[in-house]
Amino acid sequence: MSDEILDSVDALLSSVRTGLPAPAERQRLRLAAGLTVTQVAVALRVNSALVRGWEDGTAVPAPDIAPAYNRLLDGLASRFPAPQNPTAAPVPAATEQQAVPVARQATLDQNPDGSPAMFQAAPCVQCGQPSVYRAQGRPMHLGGFCRPAAPAPAPVAPRTEQPTPVPAPVTAPAPEAAPAAEARTRAATPAAPAARPTPRPATPGTPNRSAAARPATRAATASATASAAAQWWPVVALDAAPDGTWVLDIPQVPAPAGPKLGDWFAWLGTGLPLRIERAHPSGRAGDGTVCLTAAALKQLGLPAALPATEKALASLQAKLAKAAATVGMEVSEHIGPTFRAFRRKGSAGGRKTSLSITVAPWLGQGDARQQATSALALPLATAPDGTTDGATFARRFRAFTTDLGVAPGATTATTGMGLLEAVRPREEWVKDAATGEWSAHPREGALPKGDFCVPPAAGARHPLTRTLLSAGGTVCEEEDYKWWARDLTEQETGRRWAVAVDVCASYLSVTDSLRLPSGPLEQAQNPDWNGGKTAGLWWCDFTTTEVDELLPHPATFHGRPPTGPGWYATPTVAYMAATYGFDPATITEAYLSTHTVPLLKEWTGHLRAGYKRTYADLGLVDGQSPTEFLAAYAAHKNAGDDPARNDALALTGLYKNIYKGGIGKWADSARHLDDEQWLEKVAATWSYRPEIRFHIIAAARIAAHRRLRKTLRLTGRAPFAINVDSYLYATDAPSPLELLPVKDDGTPVPGALRLGIAPGSHKHEASIPLQAAIEAMGRREHPSRLTHDYTTDGTAIDQDQAAAEGVGAGQDDQEGGH
């Protein structure tokens, strides 16, 4: 088939009217408003690749998304009208004029409402893979899924300059297929958390590195993927109707040809449009997922519950393997609630493919290993009535991947590290100029593999720590505040209530710009402080440095003054020097990083975006007044039967645990491994860096102390007890409103205690009768334990009822437990 015919079909598809402005105008409106592609994608609950496709003309919004997208564009157009003489107008106009005549030659097969009609899957006339769509009666993929869409009109004509169909030579100094406008957009939004898979320019300082991150075939694949990104989905739920018809929650994904297990494996091996796009040009795409419902299991002849015996599991694995082998595919050696189905390169039956399989009814079943590998899948699939539902899993899975750009891993900690690897890959493909061979090499600033621990920050299990402590040495103890309390002042004892507030996502409030140790730590004598620009551990003596008496000591986790010198991370030393006059010239020894970088910037951007989006679905947004926020927070868990609110509640909890677990992973103790295995499999990996965790926790504790200190100076109010990020204040009313410092216009004072859901802001946790808190302290109990016993209006909670309803388990914003 000639290129002219294929290009004609692409032009036809791009000419389908949606009632929306031209693609170039869509991009102009977004840029005029200062919005990133990710912000638009999050608002519309779609993948950011779709938004890019809408703006470069390679994709068309689906009928269910187009009205919302049109509303956004109309609102932006009213605020940012087009200039009188737009400089870029001729290009889209010419495109439209060229497309109209083609559109008259053929029409898409459509339903009466204008949506694309779907038929029984048949081989596409272009690529031979199954398609449920028709163009003039011929099976065909929409949007150029099976081949790159025709390039947008631009002064780039690689086809006339190159003898091969590769969009650009592998040594090109810039992305070969990206329009200039898109390049400018990316340059203007460096912090966008979801970069698209386009070849990148050469890394500065590495003259032998090519502009492309991989061999020419991979570059061509990445270009094709970018243009067809609108046709990829991360997951699909496969269900069966009572009459035996297959039902998929993504209509664009074709259904299996028959009800048998062999038909299902043949369907898995056809190259389904399931994949998770890479979050960084140097990263890797992830496998798509197929989720089976209870009805699908029954139709395939699979057990409704996961077999409980080894013999039954082995029989199930053999049954699946036999059916898979008929189409050249294989399944995981161990079968559980999640497993993989794949075909190796060169196997009979088709091309190489790999998919993850999740069986919703099996989640939460099996032995400890099987449950551990599907720990994050269970809350994604758990419906409000407590059952595991495939459609619920798929819907939340898609929201998860849209927010974070990665699939959920086995645990929150591994997902946190997987996200960091996805948004900041450690390796890239490099071409040797002499031999022409490609190989993977660490990217500039990548965390190195190997055991680079130093004695003061090696972790509790490391031999260096045991050796140092046995010799009477001191280790770094940068931790969250733990169980600090002081005697109440005479004025405080005259008040009636102890109001507990805690910090929302305190780690995410500091990790965005926090400079962390990337390279190994090297020992230095009489080190140069350099204004705190170097991450590392410093031997400091704060015993003579005076601090605020009503607040916990900023440098210790117990809040009491230190009794001698110790090892402190850079954020602590910088705060003590800038705020309390500590002299860095007195530092005699340090372990300093060879590289200091904002390692978690992109990681934080993804997590913050997901965290704030889910809370927005629950009615909690930036800019709410204190009273509005208190009312919204009190009702935010009342989801009822609303799927969007229930999904938001489930995802909010996951995102919190992911950033907390990811930070704890830097000092992973892995108790299930013996010491020798731990040294080999954990301590020697790139992700074991206890000093990074120390820096993050020190920065969060210092940020909290800074807010407490500013509030004290403005209002004279200080907490009398702290545990982790929960603060107890003595108040006259069972409300935190009297604690808030405000400006003359009534707005909150920046940098002080304030109510809100944004990371670093505070929420109302409980109101406790002050006398009960005083009595607890008299029994040498920490009063923060009472936050489980009282509501925010001061009502005592019936403990039996609380245990039955799970009340008191809501301390999910606290950052402890690492």
Side-chain angles (χ1 to χ4, degrees), residues 83 87 132 375 394 403 437 567 650 655 734 736 740 795:
T87 57
V132 295
D403 287 339
E437 296 294 326
W567 292 102
Y655 296 162
L740 307 178
T795 303

Side-chain angles (χ1 to χ4, degrees), residues 148 158-159 162-168 220:
R159 196 174 289 180
Q162 302 297 333
T164 68
V166 178

